[in-house]
Amino acid sequence: MAAQFGRRLRKGAATTAVAAVAVAALSASQAPGVNDHGRRSAADAIPSPDASTSDGSATGNSPYYTDLPPLNSPNPSPSTGTGPVTPGTTEAGIPATVLDAYKKAETALRDAKPGCNLPWQLLAAIGRVESGQARGGRVNADGTTTSPILGPQLDGNGFALIKDTDNGAYDGNSDYDQAVGPMQFIPSTWAWAGRDGNDDGKKDPNNIYDAALAAGHYLCRGNWDLSDQRDLDRAILSYNNSREYLNLVMRWLEYYRKGTHEIPDGTGTLPDNRSDNGAGTSPTPSTPSTPGSTPKTPTPGGSTPKPSPRPEKPGGGTTTPKPPTTTPPGTPSTPPTTPPTPTDTVDHLEDAGTAKLTAMAGDAFGKRISTRAETKTGEAVGKVRIRFTIIGDTDTTFTGGESVATVATNSSGVAVAPALQAGEKTGGVTIRATVVGRTVPGLDYKATVTERAADKLVRTGDAALTCTPGGEFANQVEVKATYQGAVADGVAATATLIKSADDPTADDKGPYFKDADGKAVRTLTALKTDAKGLLKLPKLYADDTTGTFLLRISTAGGATLTVELTVAAAETSSPSPSAGTGA
């Protein structure tokens, strides 16, 4: 929902001029196009089409706090508890437990997804905008908020329409979804993005450690490099698909990058300006609502809401409210009707031409799943969210490492799932497509992961492989495996000293390998090519049998190579003839 920057700081007619001056000063000092280092920032960068047409968001595009960072840069990091809290200190500071959660999430992502380059300051910026840093750090010792933080119910009344997806498990609302917790995840997103950040065995959206780690994985899920401005834009827009949201998060990100400090839990400043101008329910502490009801939330500071000024006309000025119309006595009232949403019209899902899904272990699938949402009469339904879920015991994932992806159907009613990335477990994989927010039969797709294979083997050297009886071969056999011209890494192989070209059984005499106990073995299994497709066999030894022998190497996929080995007695040099004696 677009932020109302022009009215953000308005507290009433008497302060309008002051607010205008403040906003102008902030705009001048924190212009989104340039930062202190002269770099382009997100506000100037144009989002890519896939970012601006996001199929959803972590928050369901719920309202957020629109307060801008202070004009002054954060103070150098003062130690907590060294003196009284001065004005502005809490504004710049981050509650201790919340700050710890952000930094721990950054560390975890550095190991899990090092190419993402997630800065903890980005989590802090989003946490500030979404919940005012868990409402000023009102969390207990393990990081759980002292009371749930819920956004408004997403019933389509001024907000997005997202019908219940969790039976009220996270938000207490069995009719509509609500954003939950300090990072404001909607239940359908938390169901797959949730993480256990404090190792207590639970994934709780109301726990700042869990929520911060989940937000980090969510922002890193698209193989994005957040040190690149365009990828950073995409990630932020995927969290809440709004240009104003992107600009605001970038301002807080730059602010926190300049330095911040830790403050005691519960002493943070609570923001009070929101993108919906206070309409609906703000993300404030509340008790999960009774299913079907909207949680009531006090206004910031406990003040009583004042009536809004007269609405403005599109071209300026105000309108005069018209007197209410009256209905003649006895006229039956007509209950208001809500037009069906696109989701309400979906009757079934159909495959939209998905090709055969097969990939070798470790490779990306070349084809993607396409699903079409249709009405009962077979008409396409656009703007419907389709959830793709990888089912069963498999390590195959979508690109980015997730097992669940949600994609909106286009104008043709088709949703195309992200590319699949095959894991190391071979066999069948099931991917189920379902409609988010509507109970219709799911559609299952079958994919197959085959073992890694090679179609060609070659020796890396051409030195003759010879040995004397009872000795050892001076050169080791090394081969390179390829598949369709590319390096074939991780391919299983077998090496056997065979009896003959026509008899591939293991020979019982001639050259041999040694096992760990030094005993002769003539078949090696469980071999595997390395990252460069190379396989170097152990040393070979010879018994007393002379002759020519064959070593056959074979791999999954059918590649074979037969190498000749020669065992022969060493040649003895003939003595040179002695010089004759003179007459």
Side-chain angles (χ1 to χ4, degrees), residues 95-177:
T97 299
V98 178
L99 180 59
D100 183 57
Y102 296 151
K103 291 185 175 181
K104 278 193 164 89
E106 179 195 56
T107 300
L109 267 297
R110 191 183 302 132
D111 293 335
K113 297 183 178 180
C116 178
N117 295 307
L118 171 83
W120 67 261
Q121 292 90 341
L122 176 59
L123 297 176
I126 290 175
R128 182 61 167 75
V129 170
E130 292 295 343
S131 68
Q133 310 297 18
R135 289 192 59 82
R138 286 161 178 81
V139 295
N140 60 25
D142 69 357
T144 302
T145 57
T146 53
S147 57
I149 300 176
L150 296 176
Q153 68 174 14
L154 301 174
D155 57 5
N157 184 20
F159 309 109
L161 175 59
I162 303 180
K163 292 188 175 181
D164 175 65
T165 60
D166 66 330
N167 198 29
Y170 294 117
D171 54 14
N173 189 334
S174 59
D175 288 337
Y176 301 97
D177 272 352

Side-chain angles (χ1 to χ4, degrees), residues 319-550:
T319 59
T320 302
K322 296 181 180 180
T325 56
T326 58
T327 303
T331 302
S333 60
T334 303
T337 59
T338 303
T341 66
T343 301
D344 294 331
T345 67
V346 177
D347 177 74
H348 59 275
L349 296 175
E350 291 285 345
D351 176 40
T354 302
K356 185 177 180 180
L357 299 168
T358 303
M360 197 180 297
D363 289 349
F365 282 74
K367 305 297 182 182
R368 295 165 70 176
I369 297 171
S370 296
T371 301
R372 176 179 158 100
E374 296 183 355
T375 65
K376 193 171 184 178
T377 58
E379 296 177 357
V381 185
K383 298 182 179 179
V384 172
R385 295 189 302 155
I386 306 298
R387 180 181 294 129
F388 297 95
T389 305
I390 299 173
I391 298 172
D393 182 19
T394 178
D395 55 354
T396 292
T397 64
F398 291 112
T399 302
E402 305 294 349
S403 60
V404 179
T406 303
V407 181
T409 57
N410 59 21
S411 58
S412 300
V414 175
V416 180
L420 287 164
Q421 177 67 40
E424 294 301 322
K425 292 182 179 180
T426 59
V429 178
T430 299
I431 304 93
R432 179 166 298 161
T434 55
V435 180
V436 176
R438 183 164 176 79
T439 304
V440 297
L443 186 61
D444 285 354
Y445 293 86
K446 300 296 182 182
T448 303
V449 179
T450 61
E451 63 180 330
R452 293 172 183 256
D455 56 14
K456 187 176 182 180
L457 284 173
V458 295
R459 277 191 68 194
T460 59
D462 56 5
L465 299 168
T466 61
C467 182
T468 57
E472 68 178 51
F473 286 79
N475 299 306
Q476 290 178 247
V477 178
E478 183 182 69
V479 296
K480 182 173 183 178
T482 56
Y483 183 78
Q484 296 181 356
V487 167
D489 62 311
V491 177
T494 300
T496 304
L497 291 150
I498 60 177
K499 290 184 176 180
S500 68
D502 298 325
D503 185 356
T505 58
D507 206 343
D508 55 0
K509 57 187 177 180
Y512 60 90
F513 300 104
K514 289 183 179 180
D515 63 14
D517 297 325
K519 296 180 179 179
V521 291
R522 291 185 169 86
T523 298
L524 296 179
T525 58
L527 303 173
K528 192 168 286 189
T529 60
D530 66 13
K532 297 180 180 179
L534 299 176
L535 173 63
K536 191 171 187 177
L537 298 181
K539 282 187 176 183
L540 279 161
Y541 302 87
D543 60 14
D544 293 333
T545 309
T546 59
T548 299
F549 301 89
L550 299 179

Side-chain angles (χ1 to χ4, degrees), residues 574-579:
S574 300
S576 58
S578 60

